[in-house]
Each structure stands twice: as C-alpha cells, then as structure tokens.
Amino acid sequence: MSEFWTGFSRGGYFARVNANYDDRYILSLIGRYDGSSRFGEDNKFGTFWGVIGSWNLHRENFLRNSNFVNLLRLRASAGTTGRDGIGNFAALSLYSAGVQYNGRAGITYQGLPNPNLGWEIGQDINVGVDFGVFNNRINGSVEVFERKTKNALLSQPVSWTTGTGGFSQNVGEIRIRGTEVTLSADILKPVRPDRFSWNVNLTFAFLYNEVTKLYGGFNVLPSDPSIIVGRSLGSIFTQVYQGVNAATGRPVFLDTFNNLTYLPLARDRRYIGDTEPDYYGGLTNTIRYKGFELSALFVYEYGRMATDGQVNFMLENGNRTFNTLRFAYENRWQKPGDITSYPRIFDTGAEPGGVNHVSGSSRIWRKADFIRLRDLRLAYNFSPDFLKRLKLGSAQFYVQGQNLWTYSDWWGYDPEFVGTSTGIIPQTKNINIGLQLGF
C-alpha cells in the first residue's frame, strides 16, 4: 500500500478602480501582482494589468430621443494575464528512487532545474460594438480581438545523456486573432403575449492563430515538428497520399519534387490543413403561439481537418487478422487496371521498399466540416387558469431531441468526436419526454 500527494500554492494582490460618469462613460482599471510556487526562484511573481472602457452613445443628446437606435455602445479593453499550467515541480531539480545500479538500489535524475521558468503572459486587445434598433427587435454585437501569448510554456527537448528527455521552458510567442458576431432578431413580434412570435439568433466566429517566435531562433520546435513559425498551432504536416498504382496495386505518395514514390521520407512532408476550424457558430429559431413553443438549434464548423483512429484501424484491410470496413474491402485493388484509392491487400501493410498505407499521410486526414441539429424542442405551457385550479406555479409538457440530424462528409461516426484512439463512443441521438412542474 502506498500514498501519493502533491500540491502547489498561489498568492497575490488585486486592486480595481471603477469610474462612471452619467452612465455614458464607464472606465475600469485593474492591477494584479500574483505569485506561483510552480515557477523558478527568479520568476515566481508577475505583474498584470487591465483597462476596460465603454461609451454609451445612445445616452448622448444626439441619440437619446432616437426612434431608431435603442442601444449603441462602443467598448474596448486591453490587458495582460498570467498562466501557470505546468507541473508542480517543473522548475526544480528532481530525482527518482526505485531503480538499480550495479545490482544495488539507487536513484536517477528525473528533471532538470530551470530557475528562470516564469509566467506565460497573455496580452489581450478587444474592441466591440453593441447595438439595438427598432425597439430592440434587432440587436447584437460585433467584437474583434487579438491575443498575444508571450513566454509560452512548453517542453524543450534535451539529450537523454542528461538523464531526462526535456524540461519546461518559456519557449515562444503565439498570436490569436478573431472576430465574433452575435445577431438576434424578432422576425414577428406580437402585440399580445399569446400571439404568434418568431425569434432568430445567429452566432458566428472566425479564429486564426499563428506561431510568431520560438526559443533559440528556431523556425520549427524540435519536440513537435508541427509547431512552425508562421503557421498555426494545430497545423498538419504529413506526406501526401496520391492513390494506388493501377498496374501494381501499391500505394503511392508525392515526394518533395512532385514525383511519385512508394517510400516517402520525412523531408516530403507538406502542410495540408489545420486541426482547428476557421469558422464556427450556431443558429437558433424560436417560435411561440399561445401556449406552444418550438425551438431548434443548429451548430456548424468549417475548415477543420481530423483523423479518426477507429476508421484508420478498420482501413488496415488485411494488414493484420482483424475486421475491416466493407467499402474498403470491396473497393480494394484486385487486378491490373483497377482504378481505386484502396491498395491491394498485403500482409503487415508495408510492402518491400514501401510504407504502410495507413501510416502517417494525408490519406488518414479528412475534412470534418459539419452542420448539426443540436437541439429540437417542442413544449406546451399550461394556461394560468389551469394552473390556478391545480394550485401550481407553472407546468410545461415537452418533447426534446438532441443530435437528430447531421450533414457532413466525415467518414467516421462523429465529426465532433475524433482522435487517434479506437473505440470512441459517438454522441448519441436522444429523445426525451417530460413534464416540468413549479409550485
């Protein structure tokens, strides 16, 4: 029987000053001085700040009595934050027991010290506008932001002769830019609550990140070749799968010079996409009539690529004595002249002078764009007279479905649940029937 416990501590000071003039001009100043036990002796503490301001233009004289504009607010913020998401002892020199040396009990080096290890700093700038027009029948916001991450906390590889494979260090800088839009509109707004109404709510977001600097002047992070200056985090660099040689049935790839090859090398890798979406958001429609209420939420993502370990496993198609996907088996190359993207069956999958067709290449990556009906709900709210007779505060009967429909070219179970693991359970389609009572 054994026990293990670990912990860390944070401490700091915080101050905030708020100013408000006539509810038109609003300003907040924030200051922090935080410390974390996770960092090196020379950098345990960091100073962070923030400025938040807004201008309510709709309260100015030139808009105060407007019949068109009900809300118009300009807002901006800037500041810094700190992150200490590393191991509790990443800055310390560590040793581990439980090993043998020359037949005797001994200890081994486990971690290199880094007294300069410090806070990962996020610098944020945010500018936005909130608006409401036509008696707030149309309202929303537009927001543009940029976040720069400096002194990013990552692992730096070192020679195993040091006794460990790497140590935590502030290794680089990352920039994230994005735009978020929210729009809500009452397409039909009733004069009385029991009349027909229809509301639409739309959200849209664009996000792009870029690695701008790495430690030591590197353009590629040695511990992770996918992290490259000028590219986004989550960039996919791999060999390009070109299909099947119709004469032999062998899988072929492109090399650096765009020549076909059976044996791609590390130098032949190319950028083929990102694991983060370019755009994402949602659309909600809500319709009400008397006691009935119908709402539907659609969500979407565009621009993301993904790989599915379960599909890759089932694409082996004879590599090992396991089951395979039916369409991969039926569409495999079988004789000279066959045009297909599924190579011939070969034991172990890697033919002499070649590589396994399900090893790392563009063949195992697919677009994971999708549109999904996330939630569909039909409800009936019982009338006040009925509630009064039963001495209830509220009563609602509803039927609700989740993940009922998905449009996607994704070839696995679920475009949202992907990864290198096998046996991942996809999101389920649910239908719930219920009665909510309030007393």
Side-chain angles (χ1 to χ4, degrees):
M1 181 177 179
S2 62
E3 292 186 12
F4 177 79
W5 179 88
T6 183
F8 72 101
S9 61
R10 294 193 188 108
Y13 302 92
F14 172 85
R16 178 166 184 158
V17 177
N18 297 323
N20 187 326
Y21 177 72
D22 196 27
D23 205 23
R24 287 184 293 169
Y25 313 107
I26 301 171
L27 180 67
S28 294
L29 303 177
I30 304 169
R32 296 187 66 99
Y33 185 67
D34 294 325
S36 173
S37 64
R38 289 174 163 173
F39 293 127
E41 192 65 32
D42 301 332
N43 282 308
K44 288 189 181 296
F45 288 88
T47 301
F48 311 102
W49 58 273
V51 178
I52 305 172
S54 62
W55 178 19
N56 288 320
L57 281 82
H58 61 281
R59 295 190 178 277
E60 299 288 352
N61 291 332
F62 57 85
L63 284 178
R64 190 183 298 271
N65 298 318
S66 173
N67 295 323
F68 172 69
V69 178
N70 308 108
L71 169 66
L72 184 59
R73 177 186 300 116
L74 298 179
R75 49 185 170 82
S77 64
T80 60
T81 56
R83 174 180 173 270
D84 65 348
I86 55 175
N88 293 339
F89 312 110
L92 302 179
S93 180
L94 301 177
Y95 295 85
S96 177
V99 299
Q100 287 193 347
Y101 178 75
N102 198 23
R104 296 184 179 182
I107 60 174
T108 184
Y109 217 7
Q110 185 176 336
L112 295 174
N114 185 0
N116 296 317
L117 187 65
W119 289 90
E120 178 179 292
I121 300 174
Q123 299 177 337
D124 296 275
I125 299 177
N126 186 302
V127 178
V129 57
D130 303 319
F131 61 89
V133 296
F134 301 117
N135 292 323
N136 284 320
R137 288 190 62 170
I138 300 176
N139 59 82
S141 65
V142 179
E143 195 168 307
V144 180
F145 60 89
E146 178 179 272
R147 178 181 179 87
K148 293 182 179 179
T149 299
K150 295 190 174 183
N151 300 328
L153 291 167
L154 291 171
S155 177
Q156 176 184 347
V158 294
S159 171
W160 279 100
T161 58
T162 62
T164 182
F167 68 106
S168 295
Q169 186 174 348
N170 302 103
V171 300
E173 298 180 5
I174 303 166
R175 180 173 60 199
I176 301 174
R177 292 175 174 173
T179 302
E180 294 183 354
V181 178
T182 300
L183 181 64
S184 179
D186 290 320
I187 307 300
L188 294 174
K189 191 172 184 178
V191 178
R192 289 169 31 187
D194 61 344
R195 297 300 184 182
F196 188 86
S197 68
W198 178 18
N199 175 267
V200 176
N201 188 282
L202 172 69
T203 60
F204 168 84
F206 162 78
L207 196 65
Y208 176 74
N209 71 80
E210 179 186 4
V211 179
T212 57
K213 183 180 179 181
L214 292 174
Y215 72 91
F218 285 109
N219 285 324
V220 180
L221 187 66
S223 61
D224 187 347
S226 69
I227 299 180
I228 300 175
V229 173
R231 292 289 187 181
S232 63
L233 286 176
S235 294
I236 306 168
F237 283 84
T238 188
Q239 288 86 357
V240 176
Y241 182 72
Q242 198 64 12
V244 174
N245 186 325
T248 64
R250 297 184 61 175
V252 292
F253 305 82
L254 284 181
D255 66 10
T256 304
F257 307 102
N258 289 327
N259 298 318
L260 297 178
T261 179
Y262 293 135
L263 187 62
L265 305 175
R267 69 184 184 189
D268 299 325
R269 292 182 306 162
R270 304 184 187 188
Y271 169 78
I272 64 169
D274 292 278
T275 58
E276 297 295 329
D278 296 326
Y279 310 99
Y280 60 91
L283 174 67
T284 303
N285 281 272
T286 303
I287 297 173
R288 297 183 177 91
Y289 179 68
K290 294 187 176 180
F292 291 95
E293 179 179 317
L294 175 65
S295 64
L297 168 62
F298 291 86
V299 295
Y300 63 90
E301 281 189 9
Y302 175 80
R304 177 172 65 98
M305 296 189 71
T307 183
D308 190 316
Q310 184 69 52
V311 173
N312 300 340
F313 180 76
M314 301 293 284
L315 276 177
E316 291 193 7
N317 206 15
N319 292 8
R320 295 178 287 177
T321 54
F322 293 118
N323 203 350
T324 190
L325 292 173
R326 180 176 178 179
F327 70 83
Y329 177 79
E330 292 180 345
N331 291 282
R332 73 193 187 282
W333 184 95
Q334 299 181 61
K335 63 182 184 303
D338 284 350
I339 305 299
T340 179
S341 61
Y342 300 98
R344 67 180 183 178
I345 292 177
F346 191 85
D347 189 26
T348 74
E351 302 198 30
V355 296
N356 196 316
H357 61 92
V358 291
S359 61
S361 75
S362 60
R363 185 177 187 230
I364 65 174
W365 291 93
R366 289 289 189 276
K367 289 185 176 182
D369 307 335
F370 70 89
I371 301 174
R372 167 166 282 170
L373 179 56
R374 175 77 75 205
D375 188 87
L376 181 65
R377 194 172 193 271
L378 176 63
Y380 179 75
N381 299 289
F382 291 91
S383 66
D385 292 338
F386 178 80
L387 298 175
K388 186 176 181 180
R389 289 197 301 269
L390 296 181
K391 298 182 179 180
L392 294 174
S394 63
Q396 183 188 76
F397 175 79
Y398 67 90
V399 179
Q400 184 175 11
Q402 296 175 325
N403 304 317
L404 298 182
W405 174 82
T406 302
Y407 175 79
S408 177
D409 290 332
W410 180 248
W411 60 352
Y413 291 125
D414 191 333
E416 291 188 89
F417 278 81
V418 295
T420 57
S421 301
T422 59
I424 297 177
I425 299 175
Q427 296 185 84
T428 58
K429 294 181 179 180
N430 298 322
I431 297 178
N432 301 313
I433 301 176
L435 178 66
Q436 292 180 338
L437 300 177
F439 298 92

